[in-house]
Amino acid sequence: MRALVSIFTALLIGISLYQLSFTWFVNKHEKAMGEKALQQIKRAYPTAATKFPGDKEAAALYQDTLDQLLRKRKQELLDSTADTKITWWGQTYQKAKESELRLGLDLQGGINVTLDIALDGLIKGLANNPKDPQIVKAIERANQLKLNSDQNYIALFATAFKEVNAGARMAPHFANPNNKLANTASDNQVTTFINEQANNAMAQTYEVLRKRIDKFGVAQPTISLDETKGIITVELAGASDPERVRKYLQSTANLQFWEVYTLEQIAGSLQAADKTLEGYLAGGNKVDSLGNIIPDTTSSAKVDSSKMNPLFQKLFPAQPQQDPTSGRVVYSNFIGTSRLQDTGAVNSYLAIPAVRNNFPGNIKFLWGKQERNANGTLIPALNLYAIKTIPGKEGAELEGEAIEDAKQEFDPVTNEVLVTMTMTPAGASTWARMTEKNIGKSIAIVLDDIVYTAPNVQQKIDGGSSRITMGRGTQNRQLVIEEAQDISSILKSGKLEAPAKIVQEQVVGPTLGQAAVKGGILSFAISFAVIFLLMIVYYNTGGWVANIALILNLLFTVGVLSAMGATLTAPGIAGLVLTIGIAVDTNVLIFERIKEELTKGKSYQQAVIDGYKRSMAPVFDAHITNLLTAIILFYFGLGPVLGFATTQIIGIILSLFCGILVSRLISDFWTRKNRHFNYFTPLSRKVFKHAAYKFIELRKKTYMVSFVILALGIGALINGFKYGVEFSGGRSYVVKFDKPTNPEQVRVALEHAFQATPVVKTYGATNQLDITTDYMIEQAGTAGDSVVLNKLYDGLKPFLKEGATHEDFNTKYVQGFKRVDATISDDLKKGAQWATFWSLFIIAAYILLRFRDWRYSLGTIVGLLHDVLVTLAVFSFLKDVMPFSLEVDQHFIAAILTVIGFSMNDKVIVFDRIREYSREMIGADKTTIINKAINDTLSRTIMTSFTVFLTILILFLVGGEVTKGFAFAMLIGVLTGVYSSIFVSAPILVDFGKDKPLGEVPKANTASTPVKPKAPVARKA
């Protein structure tokens, strides 16, 4: 056994060092390239102080330019050295980069998104008639049910179909030769078929997105599919263009070619629609900021001249031009233009049935893509196209299935950026027919309901070739090229059968990432140093065993994370800090037992043997309960919280290996040489020596305290909490100002901009604020984000540097951004509730299985609920008092579950000793047994809790803003865990099942004659 442990330990050391060496080599190479790039920039350009002496503003702008040039040059050097060998064994930079320890976006900046796979579109695609009222109503009902259900979408659709179509069968709506469903198929058979197609569609969506992401250009992309929840999580650490990511991921690659109406053809319809809308609004109907119609039930309003032509106030008709050659009037291929923020209102206007009836029945309105100006900046306006649909057909005459290949090229004459497409033979035939029919007219090339181009057909096009013109991109040509490359990649990757919609998004700037790295490393280093010294001070030379096990545990944890390709996040670093506490706890439990055995007069060798043997039960119990809560957190968590759960799971498993096997290996090696470790110091000999506190006698008073805590917990639920954006839904921005800013003044200023009260709080430094608002959260996508960002900029203008433009605000002041749709926030809240429930339930079941006594499970549940209620009360009643944020978010739930696991450590230690003494102290009453068990384990309880508390306190003080709320909740939980173990859980064993013994009574001692209480007798191993 010793040989096996030695070999396995050596292998783990070798693998971990090998895996982490890639990170060292990559950092060394990147640092060298960074220095080389800096020297080149210094030689090519003067410094800011030299170029603009005395002009601080001009110097700052110039320095920003130099910084951009430096980053660009460094990246060019890294790209050019991708095949350079940088390791001692000949590994290239590119290969080493793929194997280094991955840093999450919260440590290096980047973008994280959660996409919800839309299966309603798949159901429509499988249905014989997607517009059938029975199908439409069932989908609408399924969407409603989804808000409050954890069932998969297909099961909800089946339930909804039966609910809204009483007595109807599903088969007639889906039975056809392609679906291989007979008209006589049962509803269960149809549901099974749709489920199979849904699973295939989700897998296909995942694969298509993975192919796209692989071509995106970030070093270490991460993508994962959760089929149960129907979501895909994507993390692009280092990505810096959120808009490009959104387009890239949400595109369904649904390419269509449509004929279009010009303004000449529908000018009369458009004017009639404007008049109809004017009368509609004047008749007492109001429209909100998004253009949604709100009936006015008060009184009929008089026509206001300023409100005339409401449609044309939002949509500006495209003016015809005169052809200089022929002299005839030429109409644009689009019918009008709207400001970006007005597109929602125009959509709502045109959707009103009375307005819609003025247009031809086959018309469909689509917006064009957002164009760029000569500087490469996006123009805040969109063109509106009127598409001619085909009556009785869902799709276009020519669609994306006809595309065989697509690539980005340049026009040899105009040098414009193009996306060229080659068609299949069948597609080429259809394209030739379409172009011949539309000579002198426009054909719109539409991708995902966005018109990318609508070229005028000059002649019939044979051969199956087509192209999308992207423009020249005069001053920022690279942006246009990237967009064209994205489109060609999307078209080649394939169409998504089940489109994915972004429901949660987080953008972290590199500055925030650097701060998180600094705080994480500092907290980790201080925690390690403090615990290292504490072990030696308290356990003498025995502390070196714990420290060696601790070092190996951390090395193995980080090495395994790197080998698995896992991502280290800021919460992951918090998990590493907690791993220090877990690893030390194992040795504290063992060492305290060895000290007890030595106190009984045993030899060092025998004390070590008995100490390890008798510590196994509480050590395993503590680790298993911690592992169970970590697994539950991993299952229900999303985003960075997964990093914490992953690190904790690995750390717990390795803690068992290092704390039990490795430390025992070291101890045995030393004692075989007729030497021994000292486990006592002058300090540890005195602490809790001869402790004989009467804890159980205080239970009536502590019960009263528990009732007060119960009342406060219920009061907390009534008083409410400050929910983070993950649970409330909304948009959150981290904004860094040039000087310290008063949060209250900012809040008042933004109230006017948003017409609602935002949440404003300091984020780390006094010149950095976290601003959260639910303004326009119901409108997702580019338009909603753009409007909210504009409002934020308008509200914060007085606090920005004079002359700061919107672009300056977006690129220099906004350090991070997060958006969570209401649908996913509801899912996250339900997930958090279920995670807490299952943690309590599974732990109670485990304790029942372990101790075979319902009283131990009851004591556990009551004690854990006590810990949770205290934490909830603090976060509720002190949410507006503390100088830092007490938000209830995913990090808070992670803290609650971790508290549950750690609190179990204390309870298991006490329960295990109570059960042991109940077998040894025959005839003693319950109060005596429980008091002695608590007193004899007091040193272990306090020491284990103290080490965890110390590491969490350090994390709270220096770990950074991301983990501050998590650490504070953990601090409360550790303190209340000790209290509840002694004063809540243990007393329950006395007052419930009074006639039942605390443990199994040995058969040899079942005589009726009572025996006087005696001290526990040491048992030999």
Side-chain angles (χ1 to χ4, degrees):
M1 183 65 179
R2 291 193 188 98
L4 188 63
V5 173
S6 301
I7 293 170
F8 192 69
T9 303
L11 283 173
L12 270 178
I13 291 173
I15 292 170
S16 299
L17 290 175
Y18 171 77
Q19 202 63 45
L20 293 175
S21 67
F22 291 114
T23 303
W24 183 78
F25 283 116
V26 166
N27 288 341
K28 181 182 176 184
H29 179 71
E30 290 180 348
K31 184 179 180 182
M33 292 301 101
E35 291 173 353
K36 185 176 181 180
L38 181 61
Q39 294 303 318
Q40 291 178 355
I41 294 297
K42 282 182 176 180
R43 287 196 298 268
Y45 301 94
T47 63
T50 304
K51 190 170 180 66
F52 296 101
D55 191 340
K56 291 184 178 180
E57 189 170 341
L61 291 172
Y62 179 67
Q63 186 60 50
D64 287 342
T65 304
L66 289 180
D67 292 341
Q68 290 177 9
L69 290 170
L70 177 61
R71 287 193 293 271
K72 184 178 179 182
R73 183 54 188 150
K74 180 183 176 181
Q75 191 57 53
E76 288 172 351
L77 288 172
L78 291 174
D79 291 342
S80 65
T81 57
D83 296 325
T84 302
K85 296 177 180 178
I86 64 170
T87 67
W88 298 331
W89 51 90
Q91 198 87 318
T92 64
Y93 167 68
Q94 183 174 346
K95 288 292 183 183
K97 185 74 177 173
E98 292 171 0
S99 301
E100 73 167 341
L101 179 63
R102 298 184 177 192
L103 296 181
L105 64 93
D106 51 0
L107 296 181
Q108 62 170 313
I111 300 165
N112 176 287
V113 296
T114 301
L115 299 109
D116 184 35
I117 302 174
L119 295 176
D120 53 349
L122 175 74
I123 292 173
K124 288 180 180 178
L126 293 173
N128 296 328
N129 180 9
K131 294 183 180 179
D132 188 297
Q134 290 188 332
I135 296 293
V136 173
K137 287 179 182 177
I139 288 175
E140 289 174 354
R141 180 56 182 153
N143 290 335
Q144 293 171 357
L145 294 174
K146 184 182 177 184
L147 298 175
N148 297 296
S149 176
D150 293 321
Q151 278 188 291
N152 74 61
Y153 188 81
I154 306 305
L156 292 176
F157 171 75
T159 302
F161 186 89
K162 292 177 183 177
E163 184 180 320
V164 299
N165 304 304
R169 293 173 54 250
M170 296 175 68
H173 296 281
F174 295 94
N176 61 57
N178 292 332
N179 290 349
K180 297 179 181 179
L181 278 174
N183 201 48
T184 56
S186 68
D187 285 356
N188 285 339
Q189 288 175 317
V190 175
T191 304
T192 301
F193 168 76
I194 299 175
N195 252 322
E196 290 172 355
Q197 298 304 309
N199 290 334
N200 293 337
M202 284 193 285
Q204 185 256 2
T205 298
Y206 170 77
E207 284 301 318
V208 169
L209 290 180
R210 187 180 59 76
K211 289 176 184 176
R212 292 182 191 176
I213 289 167
D214 287 343
K215 298 174 184 177
F216 193 77
V218 296
Q220 297 171 322
T222 302
I223 177 170
S224 60
L225 168 66
D226 187 331
E227 290 186 1
T228 306
K229 299 176 184 175
I231 60 173
I232 294 175
T233 303
V234 177
E235 186 166 297
L236 301 172
S240 57
D241 189 345
E243 186 53 38
R244 184 185 174 202
V245 171
R246 292 186 198 113
K247 289 180 180 178
Y248 206 66
L249 295 180
Q250 293 188 119
S251 172
T252 61
N254 184 21
L255 184 70
Q256 297 174 312
F257 296 78
W258 297 100
E259 297 177 19
V260 299
Y261 285 105
T262 63
L263 190 62
E264 179 184 18
Q265 295 170 299
I266 61 166
S269 299
L270 203 60
Q271 289 175 339
D274 180 60
K275 288 297 179 185
T276 301
L277 178 64
E278 183 181 308
Y280 187 88
L281 298 178
N285 293 295
K286 297 180 180 179
V287 179
D288 63 17
S289 61
L290 300 178
N292 298 316
I293 303 301
I294 306 172
D296 186 356
T297 57
T298 55
S299 60
S300 58
K302 294 182 179 180
V303 177
D304 186 347
S305 59
S306 65
K307 302 297 182 182
M308 295 178 69
N309 304 116
L311 180 59
F312 293 144
Q313 288 187 26
K314 303 288 185 181
L315 177 69
F316 306 103
Q319 299 301 315
Q321 305 292 324
Q322 189 172 29
D323 189 319
T325 305
S326 63
R328 68 185 183 89
V329 175
V330 179
Y331 286 85
S332 300
N333 48 22
F334 60 93
I335 62 170
T337 304
S338 284
R339 293 183 294 267
L340 192 62
Q341 62 266 33
D342 291 335
T343 55
V346 173
N347 288 339
S348 297
Y349 288 158
L350 295 176
I352 299 170
V355 177
R356 180 81 179 184
N357 290 338
N358 290 284
F359 296 100
N362 68 334
I363 200 168
K364 179 180 179 181
F365 295 104
L366 295 177
W367 295 101
K369 77 180 182 73
Q370 196 172 4
E371 304 289 349
R372 296 180 183 273
N373 60 21
N375 297 322
T377 305
L378 289 169
I379 300 170
L382 297 177
N383 294 328
L384 183 66
Y385 292 80
I387 303 299
K388 288 183 182 179
T389 63
I390 303 171
K393 186 177 179 182
E394 184 76 11
E397 187 173 353
L398 183 63
E399 300 217 347
E401 288 83 356
I403 302 301
E404 193 169 60
D405 190 23
K407 53 188 174 182
Q408 180 266 314
E409 292 184 342
F410 300 97
D411 189 300
V413 178
T414 64
N415 203 30
E416 288 183 306
V417 181
L418 308 173
V419 176
T420 60
M421 295 171 286
T422 306
M423 298 182 183
T424 62
S429 175
T430 304
W431 183 233
R433 188 170 63 253
M434 279 188 72
T435 52
E436 183 179 21
K437 186 172 62 173
N438 287 280
I439 293 175
K441 301 176 184 177
S442 295
I443 293 180
I445 301 177
V446 181
L447 180 63
D448 297 337
D449 279 348
I450 297 173
V451 180
Y452 274 79
T453 186
N456 199 51
V457 179
Q458 303 295 330
Q459 60 185 21
K460 176 185 176 183
I461 302 175
D462 291 309
S465 62
S466 182
R467 69 184 195 177
I468 300 174
T469 304
M470 304 298 295
R472 290 187 178 85
T474 313
Q475 294 187 22
N476 208 333
R477 186 174 177 82
Q478 187 59 34
L479 290 174
V480 181
I481 293 173
E482 284 180 357
E483 189 176 3
Q485 290 171 342
D486 290 348
I487 291 173
S488 63
S489 296
I490 287 167
L491 291 174
K492 282 191 289 186
S493 297
K495 178 182 176 181
L496 295 181
E497 295 298 331
K501 172 195 171 190
I502 293 176
V503 290
Q504 179 175 338
E505 175 183 356
Q506 183 179 11
V507 180
V508 179
T511 305
L512 288 182
Q514 291 165 7
V517 170
K518 183 180 177 182
I521 292 175
L522 189 61
S523 63
F524 176 79
I526 295 174
S527 298
F528 180 81
V530 168
I531 298 301
F532 194 95
L533 291 173
L534 180 63
M535 288 295 100
I536 295 172
V537 169
Y538 199 78
Y539 291 112
N540 207 322
T541 54
W544 285 103
V545 179
N547 287 334
I548 293 171
L550 173 62
I551 291 169
L552 290 177
N553 191 359
L554 293 173
L555 173 65
F556 295 161
T557 301
V558 179
V560 170
L561 278 173
S562 181
M564 289 172 57
T567 302
L568 184 63
T569 61
I573 293 179
L576 278 178
V577 173
L578 276 177
T579 298
I580 295 174
I582 295 171
V584 168
D585 279 354
T586 305
N587 288 113
V588 167
L589 289 169
I590 295 170
F591 290 171
E592 286 296 323
R593 191 71 199 217
I594 291 173
K595 285 165 62 179
E596 285 184 37
E597 302 301 325
L598 288 170
T599 304
K600 295 173 185 176
K602 294 184 180 180
S603 67
Y604 271 96
Q605 190 166 4
Q606 190 61 44
V608 168
I609 293 171
D610 288 352
Y612 273 93
K613 181 180 179 181
R614 294 192 173 188
S615 298
M616 287 304 99
V619 166
F620 272 105
D621 288 337
H623 281 74
I624 288 172
T625 51
N626 272 322
L627 185 62
L628 288 172
T629 55
I631 291 171
I632 291 169
L633 179 61
F634 181 85
Y635 179 80
F636 286 100
L638 283 177
V641 172
L642 285 178
F644 169 79
T646 304
T647 306
Q648 197 178 14
I649 289 169
I650 295 170
I652 289 168
I653 294 170
L654 290 171
S655 173
L656 270 177
F657 174 75
C658 294
I660 296 175
L661 297 178
V662 174
S663 69
R664 180 66 184 272
L665 187 70
I666 297 168
S667 298
D668 287 351
F669 171 80
W670 196 254
T671 53
R672 282 202 310 272
K673 304 287 185 180
N674 292 322
R675 295 171 293 191
H676 62 79
F677 292 108
N678 290 319
Y679 296 95
F680 290 99
T681 64
L683 172 65
S684 62
R685 283 187 185 277
K686 297 175 183 177
V687 176
F688 301 116
K689 188 178 182 181
H690 306 304
Y693 302 108
K694 296 183 178 181
F695 295 109
I696 300 303
E697 284 79 355
L698 298 172
R699 67 184 185 279
K700 291 183 179 179
K701 294 179 181 178
T702 57
Y703 283 163
M704 292 176 65
V705 174
S706 297
F707 278 116
V708 171
I709 288 170
L710 176 62
L712 287 173
I714 296 172
L717 298 177
I718 298 171
N719 186 56
F721 303 93
K722 186 183 289 182
Y723 289 107
V725 68
E726 293 165 339
F727 288 169
S728 63
R731 293 176 175 86
S732 178
Y733 301 83
V734 176
V735 183
K736 187 175 183 179
F737 298 89
D738 299 306
K739 57 186 178 181
T741 308
N742 187 316
E744 184 60 25
Q745 292 177 355
V746 170
R747 186 187 63 77
V748 172
L750 290 175
E751 272 186 350
H752 297 293
F754 291 131
Q755 296 298 306
T757 304
V759 177
V760 181
K761 61 188 183 231
T762 303
Y763 191 89
T766 54
N767 68 328
Q768 198 162 256
L769 299 179
D770 187 335
I771 301 167
T772 302
T773 176
D774 59 1
Y775 178 69
M776 286 186 69
I777 188 56
E778 68 279 359
Q779 183 168 346
T782 306
D785 290 342
S786 178
V787 172
V788 176
L789 190 63
N790 287 338
K791 292 283 186 182
L792 184 66
Y793 168 64
D794 293 339
L796 294 180
K797 261 185 181 178
F799 304 95
L800 307 179
K801 186 184 293 184
E802 189 175 350
T805 63
H806 186 279
E807 188 174 355
D808 291 335
F809 175 69
N810 194 21
T811 56
K812 297 177 183 177
Y813 289 89
V814 177
Q815 304 294 308
F817 164 69
K818 189 173 189 177
R819 172 173 64 82
V820 181
D821 285 3
T823 52
I824 194 70
S825 68
D826 289 340
D827 289 344
L828 289 172
K829 274 195 282 191
K830 282 189 293 183
Q833 292 163 1
W834 278 114
T836 307
F837 167 78
W838 283 116
S839 295
L840 294 172
F841 177 80
I842 290 174
I843 284 175
Y846 176 78
I847 294 298
L848 181 62
L849 184 69
R850 184 75 177 77
F851 289 89
R852 309 278 182 177
D853 193 327
W854 62 269
R855 291 172 299 173
Y856 289 94
S857 290
L858 179 64
T860 299
I861 289 296
V862 173
L864 294 179
L865 282 175
H866 171 279
D867 302 335
V868 172
L869 288 174
V870 171
T871 311
L872 289 175
V874 170
F875 269 67
S876 175
F877 293 109
L878 300 184
K879 63 180 182 290
D880 297 319
V881 177
M882 290 296 181
F884 51 88
S885 175
L886 290 184
E887 285 188 349
V888 174
D889 53 14
Q890 281 207 90
H891 294 99
F892 173 80
I893 300 303
I896 289 290
L897 297 189
T898 310
V899 162
I900 289 173
F902 270 101
S903 182
M904 274 304 303
N905 292 4
D906 298 330
K907 292 166 181 57
V908 165
I909 291 168
V910 175
F911 286 172
D912 193 71
R913 188 59 66 93
I914 291 172
R915 187 172 59 172
E916 180 183 333
Y917 283 0
S918 69
R919 292 194 299 263
E920 297 176 349
M921 298 173 64
I922 306 302
D925 61 86
K926 293 179 183 178
T927 301
T928 303
I929 293 173
I930 295 174
N931 271 332
K932 182 166 179 57
I934 295 174
N935 279 294
D936 286 357
T937 57
L938 198 58
S939 178
R940 282 199 286 178
T941 300
I942 298 299
M943 192 61 188
T944 53
S945 298
F946 179 67
T947 53
V948 174
F949 185 85
L950 205 55
T951 54
I952 298 300
L953 180 62
I954 293 166
L955 180 66
F956 174 75
L957 294 175
V958 301
E961 202 66 29
V962 175
T963 54
K964 195 174 285 290
F966 165 85
F968 185 70
M970 280 292 300
L971 289 174
I972 299 167
V974 171
L975 292 176
T976 58
V978 176
Y979 175 87
S980 66
S981 298
I982 297 172
F983 295 111
V984 179
S985 297
I988 284 177
L989 300 178
V990 176
D991 293 322
F992 287 82
K994 294 183 178 182
D995 298 329
K996 188 177 180 181
L998 293 170
E1000 293 181 8
V1001 180
K1003 293 180 180 179
N1005 296 317
T1006 55
S1008 58
T1009 306
V1011 181
K1012 291 182 180 180
K1014 58 181 180 179
V1017 179
R1019 295 177 299 177
K1020 292 185 179 180

